[in-house]
Amino acid sequence: MSAPLPGFAHLIRLSDDTGLFEHARYAVPRRNHGYCTDDVARGLVVASREPVPGPQVRRLVECYLAFLTHAQDRSGAFRNRLSFDRRWTDQPGVGDWWGRALWGLGTAASRGTASWVRQQAMAAFALGAVRRSPHPRAMAFAGLGAVEVLRTDPGNVEAATLLKDAAAAVGGPAEDPGWPWPQPYLSYANAALAEVVIAAGHHTGDRTLLTAGLRMLTWLDDVQTSDGPLSVVPAAGWRQHGPRPRYDQQPIEVAALADACATAAAVTGDQRWVDRVERAVAWFNGSNDTGTLMWDLATGGGYDGLTRYGPNLNQGAESTIALISTMQHTRAEP
């Protein structure tokens, strides 16, 4: 792959000594919107993935880890929203932010370059891994954190149990060949559901489960392809028997698809999955429905969405992390 790499400059710009600002007006952080566990956890995933992080990225890891441990209560649940004056505005829960927090902590526990980071992340992961969420996406995100832990500790019972439960929460493909998806709708981060089923099948050696996950991902990738370029599910989502709007496409969909295809490539060794990762990279570089670059070359920030008129020029945390996450695959072996 030859796509340019945006780096961490904008993520650093969006971060302070507390955490990661959720939103930006163009490239300027919107401090009045505060911080959220969801985005800090995403930030910890991409910062921990860096194989040779520089001092600034290492500082991001430390800051984000501190934020997540502060957000966690004694039961393993997490608060999600912290105002700029450092006041929590919600109660601990096990929504998507719980799942993403476990994903970030599992990644830091597995890939952190400092031993104390790995130890502290693992302790927080273990505390949160005893909880379960009624929401399939939250369970999928948590399951991806379990996958990270199992990378370096294959015998970890808590992680293995969480991964198994996550795959069960997602479910398998539906009977309808025209819509082989566990739910009658596609909303956000859809590919993460297929990815956790693939990972669970691979870890347990369950070929039926692995095949089910690959079937889900194959269909999801195919249905988001429009005459070659990637055309992902927009913010409004798609329903099984409803219309399929094209815009407002979100970078998180592209990043989730890139991650899932990279996992499929690693598990199967099939070059076609690598090609699909490349197509996700190309989406950010202009191979999309409007033929426009989806990140700012000057700031390194990811644009917040693709509209029929081109990109939404705001550069918030979620979109910037999605950009970084996808581009990380350009220098990672499948």
Side-chain angles (χ1 to χ4, degrees):
M1 302 181 192
S2 58
L5 301 181
F8 281 79
H10 190 56
L11 200 62
I12 293 167
R13 185 178 296 112
L14 292 175
S15 302
D16 63 5
D17 62 353
T18 297
L20 172 61
F21 292 111
E22 182 176 10
H23 295 132
R25 180 181 288 111
Y26 299 105
V28 178
R30 301 191 69 169
R31 295 182 177 184
N32 58 311
H33 288 192
Y35 320 84
C36 69
T37 293
D38 246 336
D39 286 337
V40 171
R42 291 181 177 110
L44 185 57
V45 169
V46 295
S48 297
R49 282 178 174 179
E50 286 297 292
V52 187
Q56 290 180 302
V57 175
R58 290 199 300 270
R59 178 63 188 128
L60 292 182
V61 169
E62 296 169 8
C63 175
Y64 299 162
L65 176 59
F67 185 102
L68 294 183
T69 56
H70 179 48
Q72 190 175 36
D73 73 357
R74 293 180 180 179
S75 76
F78 290 83
R79 296 178 186 270
N80 188 33
R81 298 203 168 273
L82 185 71
S83 62
F84 183 57
D85 61 359
R86 298 186 180 183
R87 296 177 186 270
W88 292 107
T89 62
D90 61 351
Q91 296 300 312
V94 289
D96 282 3
W97 60 93
W98 164 82
R100 289 195 188 279
L102 290 188
W103 189 1
L105 292 167
T107 308
S110 172
R111 308 196 196 201
T113 56
S115 61
W116 71 266
V117 166
R118 295 193 300 272
Q119 292 165 3
Q120 292 299 312
M122 189 62 228
F125 175 88
L127 178 60
V130 302
R131 300 296 302 267
R132 295 294 182 268
S133 174
H135 308 295
R137 274 173 178 71
M139 288 297 292
F141 301 146
L144 294 176
V147 171
E148 289 290 340
V149 170
L150 293 167
R151 281 165 51 95
T152 52
D153 185 9
N156 189 294
V157 175
E158 291 171 331
T161 303
L162 178 57
L163 177 57
K164 178 182 176 181
D165 290 348
V170 170
E175 295 293 331
D176 183 354
W179 189 275
W181 195 251
Q183 300 167 341
Y185 56 86
L186 294 170
S187 54
Y188 60 94
N190 297 291
L193 277 67
E195 183 181 4
V196 82
V197 174
I198 292 168
H202 177 65
H203 177 75
T204 61
D206 186 334
R207 293 293 303 178
T208 300
L209 192 60
L210 174 59
T211 299
L214 290 171
R215 180 186 171 203
M216 290 164 57
L217 184 59
T218 298
W219 175 79
L220 182 64
D221 183 76
D222 288 346
V223 81
Q224 293 183 107
T225 302
S226 176
D227 299 325
L230 195 59
S231 183
V232 296
V233 176
W238 292 344
R239 298 201 69 85
Q240 183 172 3
H241 300 297
R244 297 184 181 180
R246 178 170 292 185
Y247 305 103
D248 180 26
Q249 294 178 34
Q250 300 294 294
I252 187 178
E253 296 308 313
V254 182
L257 194 60
D259 276 359
C261 290
T263 293
V267 166
T268 66
D270 190 334
Q271 177 63 34
R272 287 177 296 181
W273 291 113
V274 178
D275 296 340
R276 294 175 183 189
V277 175
E278 292 179 349
R279 192 165 59 193
V281 172
W283 184 90
F284 281 100
N285 285 322
S287 183
N288 51 52
D289 282 320
T290 64
T292 54
L293 195 67
M294 283 302 295
W295 62 286
D296 189 330
L297 294 171
T299 67
Y303 294 134
D304 277 358
L306 182 64
T307 76
R308 67 177 63 254
Y309 307 107
N312 173 342
L313 296 178
N314 292 331
Q315 300 166 36
E318 179 185 288
S319 300
T320 295
I321 292 166
L323 168 68
I324 294 171
S325 173
T326 303
M327 294 302 181
Q328 283 177 323
H329 292 298
T330 67
R331 59 180 182 274
E333 295 180 358

